[in-house]
C-alpha cells in the first residue's frame, strides 16, 4: 500500500484529502498521517481517515511518520523547507503551487532533487482540467490550424481565509502574481515556452501589495496575455477564462458558463458550438473550484499511479514549477525596472 502524509489540512489540504479518498477506490493508497497546527482542521481531516496519525508540525510528520509520499499544502513560503526535508528522507513529494517564491529556493529545490532523485510533482492542476487539456490537444494537433493569440484570466475576490492572513504578506505569498496569476503563467509556458517579449501592468492594494496584474507576451508569432485579480471585495465570484484564436476557429472557455467551452468557426460566428459542459458532482463532494473536485482527483490519480507503477513524473514536474516561478519573478523585476 502507498502511504500518504498530508501537511496542511486547510482549504487545499482538505481538497487533496478528498481526492485521495477517491483515488483509494482505484488504487491501494491511504492517507496515514496528517499535520496541521490547528486541532480543528486535524479533527476534520481525520474524519476521512480515522486511523491516520496526527501531528501539529509538518517536519515532525516527515521525520516520524512511515509514509511513501507527502502532500505539502502549506503557505507558499513554507514549501521549500518541507520539500527538501522530505526529499532528504527519500519521500516523494507533491507540492502545491507555487512550488516556492524566490530564486534561491528554486535553486535549492532543483539541487536537492538532482542529488537525491526523489520524485516531485507540483500542483499546477490547470493541466488536469478538461477544458485546458482540450486546449493543449487543439494546440499540439493543430485541430484548428496554428494558434494566433490567446488571452487568459483568473479573477476573484480578496483572499481573507489564509492562516494568520498570510496571503497579504508578499514575503509569504508573492502577491496575486505568484499565488493566482502563476496558474496561467504555467499553462502558457506549457504551451509556448518562454516569451520573447513581455510587458507588465500592475495595481496594488493601499498596503502596496499587488492585487492586479495584466501581462502581455509575444511568443514568436503568438500574441498572449494573462490577467490575475484579487478584487478589493472578497465577495466577487471567482471566474477563470481563456480565448484562444486559431487560424480556423476560436476556443472560448468561461468557468461560470454552461457549456463552459465553445468553438466558434469562421462561418458560424454568431452560433458557437458547445464542446464541454460541467461534469456532474457527486452529492458528497464539495465544489472546490470551477468544475469541482474532478481535476484534483485526476491530479492525485496521476501522482499516485506514477509512484505505484514506478513511472517518472512527466506532468507538472519540479522543473515545470520552477520555470513558472522564474517567469513570474521576471515579471516582478520588469515591473520594478
Amino acid at each position: 500500500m502507498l502511504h500518504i502524509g498530508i501537511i496542511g489540512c486547510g482549504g487545499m489540504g482538505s481538497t487533496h484529502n478528498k481526492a485521495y479518498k477517491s483515488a483509494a477506490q482505484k488504487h491501494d493508497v491511504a492517507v496515514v498521517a496528517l499535520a496541521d497546527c490547528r486541532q480543528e482542521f486535524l479533527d476534520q481531516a481525520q474524519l476521512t481517515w480515522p486511523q491516520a496519525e496526527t501531528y501539529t508540525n509538518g517536519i515532525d510528520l516527515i521525520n516520524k511518520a512511515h509514509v511513501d509520499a507527502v502532500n505539502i499544502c502549506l503557505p507558499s513560503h513554507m514549501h521549500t523547507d518541507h520539500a527538501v526535508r522530505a526529499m532528504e528522507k527519500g519521500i516523494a513529494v507533491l507540492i502545491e503551487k507555487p512550488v516556492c517564491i524566490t530564486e534561491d529556493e528554486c535553486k535549492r529545490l532543483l539541487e536537492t532533487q538532482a542529488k537525491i532523485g526523489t520524485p516531485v510533482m507540483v500542483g499546477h492542476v490547470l493541466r488536469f482540467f478538461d477544458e485546458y487539456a482540450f486546449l493543449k490537444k487543439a494546440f499540439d494537433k493543430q485541430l484548428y490550424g496554428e494558434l494566433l493569440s490567446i488571452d487568459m484570466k483568473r479573477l476573484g475576490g480578496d483572499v481573507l481565509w489564509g492562516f494568520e492572513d498570510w496571503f497579504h504578506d508578499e514575503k509569504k505569498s508573492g502577491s496575486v502574481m505568484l499565488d493566482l496569476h502563476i496558474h496561467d503563467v504555467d499553462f502558457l509556458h506549457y504551451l509556448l515556452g518562454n516569451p520573447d517579449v513581455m510587458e507588465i501592468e500592475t495595481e496594488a492594494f493601499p498596503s502596496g501589495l499587488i492585487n492586479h496584474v495584466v501581462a502581455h507576451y509575444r511568443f514568436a508569432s503568438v500574441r498572449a496575455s494573462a490577467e490575475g485579480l484579487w478584487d478589493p471585495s472578497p465577495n466577487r465570484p471567482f471566474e477563470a477564462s481563456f480565448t484562444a484564436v486559431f487560424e480556423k476557429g476560436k476556443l472560448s472557455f468561461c468557468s461560470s458558463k454552461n457549456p463552459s467551452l465553445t468553438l466558434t468557426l469562421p462561418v458560424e460566428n454568431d452560433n458557437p458550438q458547445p464542446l464541454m459542459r460541467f461534469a456532474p458532482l457527486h452529492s458528497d463532494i464539495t465544489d472546490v473550484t470551477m468544475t469541482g473536485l474532478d481535476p484534483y482527483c485526476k491530479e492525485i490519480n496521476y501522482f499516485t499511479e506514477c509512484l505505484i507503477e514506478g513511472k517518472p513524473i512527466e506532468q507538472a514536474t519540479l522543473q515545470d514549477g520552477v520555470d513558472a516561478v522564474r517567469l513570474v519573478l521576471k515579471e516582478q523585476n520588469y515591473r520594478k525596472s
Side-chain angles (χ1 to χ4, degrees):
M1 175 174 285
L2 190 68
H3 295 157
I4 305 294
I6 295 179
I7 301 175
C9 298
M12 193 49 60
S14 175
T15 299
H16 284 215
N17 197 15
K18 294 173 186 176
Y20 275 112
K21 195 67 175 179
S22 174
Q25 298 174 17
K26 299 180 181 179
H27 307 291
D28 198 13
V29 58
V31 173
V32 300
L34 300 159
D36 202 290
C37 62
R38 300 159 294 181
Q39 188 61 47
E40 65 271 24
F41 284 84
L42 284 176
D43 292 342
Q44 185 65 34
Q46 205 172 24
L47 293 176
T48 305
W49 304 95
Q51 305 304 315
E53 300 174 347
T54 60
Y55 298 83
T56 58
N57 182 286
I59 297 296
D60 284 346
L61 183 152
I62 293 168
N63 288 335
K64 299 177 182 180
H66 297 289
V67 294
D68 303 298
V70 291
N71 269 46
I72 299 173
C73 301
L74 296 166
S76 302
H77 70 292
M78 301 175 72
H79 288 178
T80 298
D81 286 345
H82 286 78
V84 167
R85 182 57 184 148
M87 283 191 275
E88 290 172 345
K89 293 271 292 183
I91 298 170
V93 179
L94 196 161
I95 318 174
E96 254 309 312
K97 61 81 223 162
V99 65
C100 60
I101 57 175
T102 70
E103 174 59 26
D104 286 345
E105 290 176 333
C106 288
K107 292 177 180 177
R108 186 180 171 203
L109 287 165
L110 290 175
E111 288 171 357
T112 302
Q113 188 185 46
K115 178 180 178 181
I116 300 172
T118 313
V120 179
M121 182 174 169
V122 182
H124 280 295
V125 73
L126 226 58
R127 298 168 181 235
F128 295 90
F129 277 82
D130 289 340
E131 297 90 342
Y132 290 83
F134 187 86
L135 170 59
K136 182 67 162 63
K137 177 182 176 181
F139 175 80
D140 288 345
K141 296 185 177 296
Q142 295 190 8
L143 298 181
Y144 312 110
E146 295 282 350
L147 179 65
L148 304 178
S149 67
I150 179 169
D151 298 292
M152 309 185 76
K153 295 183 179 182
R154 301 182 71 76
L155 313 175
D158 193 8
V159 282
L160 303 180
W161 58 87
F163 176 66
E164 295 182 342
D165 201 31
W166 69 272
F167 285 107
H168 291 112
D169 185 337
E170 187 167 358
K171 293 182 179 179
K172 294 180 179 180
S173 71
S175 82
V176 73
M177 296 182 73
L178 275 167
D179 184 77
L180 187 66
H181 172 62
I182 196 169
H183 276 294
D184 289 337
V185 169
D186 170 69
F187 200 83
L188 286 173
H189 188 270
Y190 180 41
L191 282 181
L192 300 164
N194 286 313
D196 299 309
V197 179
M198 68 168 64
E199 294 182 4
I200 312 300
E201 305 171 53
T202 62
E203 297 177 349
F205 287 132
S207 66
L209 179 73
I210 296 171
N211 72 305
H212 189 196
V213 56
V214 181
H216 303 276
Y217 313 98
R218 175 67 67 173
F219 297 87
S221 62
V222 180
R223 181 197 60 76
S225 71
E227 180 179 7
L229 172 69
W230 284 341
D231 192 90
S233 170
N235 298 320
R236 175 172 178 154
F238 176 78
E239 184 176 273
S241 64
F242 65 72
T243 301
V245 178
F246 293 87
E247 291 176 305
K248 302 176 183 178
K250 178 176 72 175
L251 282 178
S252 301
F253 163 70
C254 183
S255 63
S256 63
K257 294 182 179 180
N258 191 352
S260 58
L261 185 67
T262 58
L263 170 66
T264 305
L265 299 175
V267 295
E268 298 177 350
N269 286 329
D270 296 326
N271 186 27
Q273 304 173 16
L275 292 181
M276 198 168 296
R277 298 182 183 274
F278 288 114
L281 298 176
H282 299 294
S283 60
D284 60 339
I285 292 178
T286 301
D287 186 4
V288 289
T289 67
M290 293 196 287
T291 53
L293 189 64
D294 183 61
Y296 296 91
C297 291
K298 291 177 181 176
E299 177 185 57
I300 295 299
N301 272 323
Y302 175 78
F303 179 64
T304 299
E305 288 171 3
C306 285
L307 297 183
I308 290 175
E309 298 174 16
K311 299 186 298 186
I313 292 171
E314 297 177 341
Q315 188 66 266
T317 64
L318 176 57
Q319 185 65 61
D320 291 334
V322 166
D323 288 343
V325 169
R326 284 175 166 166
L327 185 48
V328 175
L329 293 177
K330 286 183 180 179
E331 293 180 4
Q332 292 177 338
N333 288 334
Y334 176 96
R335 178 184 62 87
K336 295 174 182 177
S337 62

